[in-house]
Amino acid sequence: MSVDSKIIKKFKEALYSEGLRLTDQRLIILEDIINSKEHRDCDQIYNSLSKRDHRVSKATIYRTLDVLTDYGFARKLDIGDGSIMYETKLDSPHHDHMICVETGKIIEFVDDRIERIQDEIARKKGYKIIKHVHQLFVKPVKKWVLSY
């Protein structure tokens, strides 16, 4: 799947701002991130590229991910166990995350009530929210079956 020329232009500008140049490897990383709907860590991104015979070093992936997150192409998620996951921000409406501490599963959700409450709290304290990260760390509720 190709990337829109406007996105490539913005990405190239972001790279130049960081003293980096647009290379085939960085373009492949951009494509991989924005065409995926998954939450993935660097190793998973590396494996995805390798399976498609793209030779990209992990160092290049990490450097490129930093640019992608700093310039709004991707979102970086600290999932609480030392792992960092990435997801696209392009064509991805605002959402929050629940992270299962037992399985690592990431569940996206949106609740307008939470958004209104956050805005109200900030306003009452004299602030306006410009961005936020809302992550809930959860465990499955186990239903116990009694047997006699």
Side-chain angles (χ1 to χ4, degrees):
M1 205 179 235
S2 65
V3 178
D4 182 88
S5 62
K6 291 177 186 174
I7 294 172
I8 293 173
K9 183 178 184 226
K10 288 180 183 179
F11 181 51
K12 187 175 183 178
E13 290 168 0
L15 289 168
Y16 283 141
S17 295
E18 298 297 319
L20 301 169
R21 60 188 177 86
L22 180 62
T23 62
D24 290 342
Q25 288 84 6
R26 290 192 179 108
L27 186 56
I28 289 165
I29 296 165
L30 171 70
E31 286 177 358
D32 188 73
I33 289 291
I34 67 175
N35 290 323
S36 174
K37 301 300 177 203
E38 309 272 326
H39 301 91
R40 299 176 301 157
D41 63 20
C42 183
D43 287 337
Q44 291 167 319
I45 294 165
Y46 175 83
N47 291 336
S48 170
L49 297 172
S50 294
K51 284 178 187 171
R52 292 181 288 138
D53 294 324
H54 296 299
R55 299 180 64 86
V56 181
S57 72
K58 285 188 184 178
T60 298
I61 294 171
Y62 276 116
R63 277 194 299 274
T64 305
L65 286 170
D66 285 343
V67 173
L68 291 172
T69 56
D70 289 347
Y71 288 85
F73 296 92
R75 180 178 293 112
K76 183 178 187 175
L77 300 168
D78 181 342
I79 63 167
D81 64 357
S83 299
I84 302 295
M85 305 293 260
Y86 299 88
E87 67 176 338
T88 184
K89 280 182 78 173
L90 303 179
D91 295 325
S92 174
H94 168 73
H95 58 271
D96 296 310
H97 297 95
M98 288 192 304
I99 302 161
C100 178
V101 297
E102 290 183 6
T103 65
K105 180 178 180 181
I106 300 173
I107 303 107
E108 295 179 354
F109 71 95
V110 175
D111 190 317
D112 291 335
R113 296 169 302 174
I114 293 171
E115 301 303 317
R116 285 192 300 274
I117 291 168
Q118 291 172 147
D119 290 340
E120 183 181 325
I121 291 168
R123 185 180 45 74
K124 283 181 178 177
K125 300 287 185 182
Y127 293 91
K128 179 181 178 178
I129 296 173
I130 56 170
K131 73 176 188 175
H132 78 273
V133 175
H134 192 178
Q135 296 179 166
L136 304 175
F137 294 88
V138 298
K139 285 171 64 171
V141 177
K142 304 217 184 324
K143 294 187 180 186
W144 299 96
V145 177
L146 297 175
S147 58
Y148 294 91

